[in-house]
Amino acid sequence: MVFVTGDCHGEFYRLSTKNFPIQREMTKADIVIVCGDFGTCWCWPMSAQEMFWLKWLDEKPFTTVFADGNHENFDILNNDYEVVDYHGGKAHKINNSVYHLMRGYVFNFEELYFFVMGGAASHDIEDGILYKENFTSEKSFRQTIKLWNKRKRQFRINRINWWEEELPNDEEYKNAEENLAKADYKVDYVISHCAPQHIIDMIETEHTEIPNRLTLFFDEVSEKLKFKKWFFAHYHNDIDVDEKYSLLYNRVIQVK
């Protein structure tokens, strides 16, 4: 069995036995895919909450895998976990039952092929990114954070709660293109965090999505790729945009 769901942000109540009872019939060979903003692997040292949820997932009868979103700690995610060969692609092994699906690979789950490309542009940075190195003192840096929070400004702090790696780099785009070519531009499903730009333009979102390299790349992919369904998250809603594109948040959808 293979299931897909949306942002979890470090909490996984939707996958409890009460909310997800079919797990009683599942084994570790069965897969639950999270479309980004997984939300653990965030703190160093790891917080008690992160340790609890990762242990909780490890003890579940299924295996949890995730594409990265924009709200991930990429310093930890990309550097602190072993890279392993996994179902035809590459993954970071978080523990025995949790894997991060790296960008641009085609994975084979239950004889279904999934093109996975994580990443997205953060919405909550309208007022900017604070870089500690741009301040003359630690005191000035902390005072600015306090002031901006008081004024409810939409901002994040570089390498504390925002990373430029939230969007793919040149190598990851190249990797995606090469693996799609190897697959003859034919897969069963696409898993991403953000959506192609032309799909974003069809849905109502809380924030305006300014076209970026990734959303426009997805536009190009959508024109060339043959696929059954594209699942994405990021916009905190549950909507079937049309017969081929589904926005997921709290829903857990079975694909096989």
Side-chain angles (χ1 to χ4, degrees):
M1 290 183 274
V2 182
F3 295 81
V4 187
T5 190
D7 309 38
C8 290
H9 294 287
E11 296 182 342
F12 303 91
Y13 300 106
R14 78 190 68 166
L15 299 180
S16 68
T17 305
K18 177 182 177 181
N19 295 326
F20 187 47
I22 197 172
Q23 67 187 268
R24 294 188 179 96
E25 305 170 24
M26 298 173 74
T27 71
K28 287 296 186 182
D30 298 310
I31 302 290
V32 175
I33 304 171
V34 178
C35 294
D37 282 2
F38 189 67
T40 63
C41 315
W42 182 267
C43 301
W44 186 258
M46 189 173 287
S47 69
Q49 179 173 329
E50 287 177 306
M51 288 190 286
F52 168 82
W53 282 116
L54 286 176
K55 182 174 184 292
W56 186 86
L57 288 171
D58 196 32
E59 293 173 351
K60 284 295 177 180
F62 51 84
T63 297
T64 305
V65 303
F66 65 98
D68 52 87
N70 54 301
H71 291 151
E72 317 284 1
N73 184 328
F74 290 99
D75 286 334
I76 292 174
L77 190 60
N78 290 336
N79 297 302
D80 291 0
Y81 294 99
E82 178 187 9
V83 176
V84 296
D85 293 325
Y86 189 71
H87 288 264
K90 297 285 186 182
H92 288 112
K93 182 179 180 180
I94 309 303
N95 63 29
N96 289 330
S97 301
V98 179
Y99 292 83
H100 164 233
L101 304 179
M102 295 173 67
R103 294 172 178 170
Y105 288 96
V106 176
F107 296 88
N108 180 348
F109 298 123
E110 298 282 329
E111 299 305 316
L112 295 173
Y113 292 90
F114 294 77
F115 170 62
V116 178
M117 188 73 169
S122 289
H123 296 137
D124 48 1
I125 57 172
E126 285 89 346
D127 293 309
I129 306 294
L130 293 181
Y131 293 81
K132 188 174 182 178
E133 59 269 26
N134 291 340
F135 290 81
T136 56
S137 67
E138 178 76 18
K139 181 179 179 180
S140 175
F141 177 60
R142 293 189 177 278
Q143 286 177 335
T144 299
I145 294 172
K146 184 176 180 180
L147 178 63
W148 282 27
N149 279 324
K150 183 177 181 180
R151 293 179 176 176
K152 300 185 183 304
R153 299 185 72 169
Q154 293 291 304
F155 74 101
R156 286 191 171 253
I157 304 167
N158 184 51
R159 313 218 81 81
I160 299 296
N161 57 16
W162 179 86
W163 287 261
E164 64 179 355
E165 292 89 345
E166 68 178 19
L167 288 172
N169 58 35
D170 290 345
E171 183 177 343
E172 289 167 329
Y173 284 113
K174 180 181 178 182
N175 184 55
E177 291 169 347
E178 289 176 349
N179 285 316
L180 287 173
K182 289 177 184 177
D184 293 324
Y185 280 88
K186 183 178 180 181
V187 298
D188 294 291
Y189 297 98
V190 179
I191 303 293
S192 63
H193 190 52
C194 63
Q197 189 63 45
H198 76 278
I199 297 298
I200 297 168
D201 294 340
M202 294 170 63
I203 60 179
E204 292 186 9
T205 64
E206 183 180 351
H207 302 272
T208 300
E209 183 84 353
I210 299 172
N212 59 64
R213 183 179 177 184
L214 183 57
T215 62
L216 297 176
F217 172 75
F218 285 154
D219 269 353
E220 295 176 5
V221 169
S222 68
E223 292 177 1
K224 295 188 288 185
L225 186 64
K226 293 181 180 179
F227 61 95
K228 297 175 183 176
K229 193 87 172 180
W230 189 314
F231 295 105
F232 59 98
H234 191 43
Y235 310 102
H236 291 194
N237 209 338
D238 285 295
I239 301 171
D240 292 318
V241 181
D242 59 25
E243 70 279 359
K244 296 198 75 173
Y245 293 89
S246 288
L247 166 58
L248 302 181
Y249 190 27
N250 293 309
R251 287 187 295 172
V252 183
I253 293 178
Q254 184 172 5
V255 299
K256 184 176 182 180

